[in-house]
Amino acid sequence: MDGKSENSEAEGWDSIPASRRSERTVNPIRAIVDALQIPSHTKKPLLKLSLGDPTVFGNMDVPDSAIEDVVSKLRTKKINGYLPSTGLPEARRAIAMKFTSPASPLTESDVIINSGASGSIRMIIETLLNPGDNILLPAPGFPLYECCAVSQGASCRFYELRSELDWEADVKSMEKAVDKHTRAILVNNPSNPCGSVFSRQHLIQILHFAQKYKLVVVADEIYANITFKDTEFIPIASLSKEVPVLSIGGLAKQYCVPGW
């Protein structure tokens, strides 16, 4: 062993440097929630609103029918082994059949099954954006969008959701935010955290904006159909045959099975 190697062994290991990408990857939600100090004794019962998971706090539970169906499928021993990376063809076909529309006809080849909606958000942003590109995001909005974009080396420009507009988007602020480096616009409907459900006319306004600037619409619709009576949820992809729309949905919220 040469002298240099002996000296390196004697000095031991320094701390392993993190990659630049990991250093710019920060999820503010986890930073806040993980640091919460919940008092053990309070005069009033606490209603926990920190995470969109009704099951972990006991407010709602996973339906027995869902548990029984999964157990019965596992007992067949026909679904063991590695699956196609895009998901089982039968499952993708079922999703396509449920969400197809005349304006946006779907087949199983249009569907990718991911590791949750958060995994889909990351996949889409990594697929669309290069370092130096930017994406339009709602403010206020779900922080994971910015986390994924900044991690990718892209940047974020924000358009406003306005209380006086029932928390719909201010299209004028979109016009101010877009520039030559903008690749996509993210539309979160129903909105997290505002709870607004965009009207058909408002969604059409957003599509006209996306068409004007040739922006891909990333539609986070994880809360689809979770609305109060007489409030209609409309998938944005069902309103346009021209604008490319990447829609994100999931089982967690609608079927009360977060983490499955």
Side-chain angles (χ1 to χ4, degrees), residues 27 36 46 63 79 81 120 122-123 129 147 157 178 186 202 218 234:
N27 187 342
L36 282 177
L46 299 179
I79 56 173
S120 298
R122 176 171 288 280
M123 173 183 282
L129 302 183
C147 169
R157 298 172 71 85
V178 69
L186 192 140
H202 186 55
V218 181
I234 302 171

Side-chain angles (χ1 to χ4, degrees), residues 9-65:
E9 286 190 4
E11 291 177 357
W13 284 78
D14 292 327
S15 60
I16 301 173
S19 70
R20 287 188 291 274
R21 179 168 187 172
S22 70
E23 288 178 339
R24 63 176 181 251
T25 304
V26 179
N27 187 342
I29 288 183
R30 299 310 320 183
I32 294 170
V33 172
D34 293 347
L36 282 177
Q37 299 294 322
I38 302 175
S40 56
H41 302 289
T42 59
K43 294 181 179 180
K44 295 182 178 181
L46 299 179
L47 182 61
K48 300 176 182 178
L49 302 174
S50 56
L51 291 176
D53 186 343
T55 63
V56 73
F57 300 131
N59 301 324
M60 301 178 71
D61 207 351
V62 177
D64 289 337
S65 58

Side-chain angles (χ1 to χ4, degrees), residues 188-192 195-198 220-227 233:
N188 179 206
N189 176 48
S191 168
N192 176 12
S196 52
V197 183
F198 293 174
D220 181 355
E221 298 176 339
I222 187 64
Y223 290 99
N225 299 312
I226 303 178
T227 61
F233 164 75

Side-chain angles (χ1 to χ4, degrees), residues 24 36 98 106 126 167 213:
R24 63 176 181 251
L36 282 177
K98 180 175 177 60
L106 299 176
E126 289 181 349
W167 295 109
Y213 292 101

Side-chain angles (χ1 to χ4, degrees), residues 59-77:
N59 301 324
M60 301 178 71
D61 207 351
V62 177
D64 289 337
S65 58
I67 296 172
E68 292 162 5
D69 193 55
V70 169
V71 170
S72 67
K73 293 296 190 298
L74 290 172
R75 291 193 186 281
T76 67
K77 299 184 179 180

